[in-house]
Amino acid sequence: MTVQQRRERDRAQRHELIISTARELAEAEGWDAVTTRRLSERIEYSQPVLYSHFANKDAIVAAVAEQGFVELAAAMGAARRKQVERPALVRAVVDAYLDFAAANPALYDAMFTLDIGLRFAQPDSPPALLDGFRQLSVTFEAVVEDPAEIGTFTEVGWAALHGLATLTRAGRLSDGQHEARVDLLVTRLLS
């Protein structure tokens, strides 16, 4: 391994360490606890080293969010590939989405709630965001008859999933009704 290759490897490892440490800190204490000072202390690198990788905290949170989209797309894709029948297919993807949101609250906030400059539904949107949307879109293609409606249908389905995820986590929906809500959503998406 050349010196240049070693430097590139070390830089990539530091980059990933910053992202994973920010994510761990956010999941434990919330995004307000994630500061460049705390990150630099935790990863044992100076703040200038941190800034050599990321322009600011928002850029770090955006990197965490993009990583989250990769994971969410993988979870939905895996759920989708296990099913062939329409009702089971839609239910599996809905469950994968909601399970991901419940298991990763701070990550989900980075992906969908925090204003960190990620652009959705644009040609220049990061590939991870586009793939996450594509996983939903491919799922809903099994439901929508008119191909011209698939984009809008996917946005509405996504909005419903996001609403369930965020309202459930905030404790704003009645207890004990999660399965009934998901069943109703799947039934409506299929009709």
Side-chain angles (χ1 to χ4, degrees), residues 76 80 89-90 93 134-143:
M76 290 189 298
R80 190 174 48 74
L89 169 70
V90 173
V93 172
R134 189 181 65 76
Q135 291 300 327
L136 285 174
S137 181
V138 168
T139 299
F140 295 143
E141 283 176 2
V143 175

Side-chain angles (χ1 to χ4, degrees), residues 34-166:
V34 179
T35 65
T36 55
R37 171 178 278 162
R38 288 201 60 199
L39 284 174
S40 66
E41 290 170 0
R42 285 217 176 177
I43 64 172
E44 298 178 349
Y45 285 102
S46 68
Q47 284 183 306
V49 170
L50 214 92
Y51 286 119
S52 74
H53 288 269
F54 297 99
N56 52 36
K57 177 183 170 179
D58 284 351
I60 295 169
V61 179
V64 171
E66 285 189 49
Q67 187 179 67
F69 280 103
V70 169
E71 294 172 21
L72 177 58
M76 290 189 298
R80 190 174 48 74
R81 287 187 294 277
K82 290 180 182 176
Q83 305 297 330
V84 253
E85 299 297 322
R86 283 180 9 163
L89 169 70
V90 173
R91 179 61 191 238
V93 172
V94 165
D95 284 341
Y97 185 100
L98 294 174
D99 290 348
F100 178 89
N104 304 285
L107 178 60
Y108 191 83
D109 283 347
M111 295 164 64
F112 294 111
T113 306
L114 300 177
D115 184 11
I116 51 175
L118 287 177
R119 293 172 39 105
F120 287 84
Q122 302 297 317
D124 63 342
S125 295
L129 277 68
L130 296 172
D131 190 40
F133 187 79
R134 189 181 65 76
Q135 291 300 327
L136 285 174
S137 181
V138 168
T139 299
F140 295 143
E141 283 176 2
V143 175
V144 177
E145 292 179 20
D146 183 356
E149 294 179 357
I150 188 64
T152 302
F153 189 94
T154 302
E155 289 175 345
V156 171
W158 175 24
L161 289 171
H162 178 68
L164 280 177
T166 56

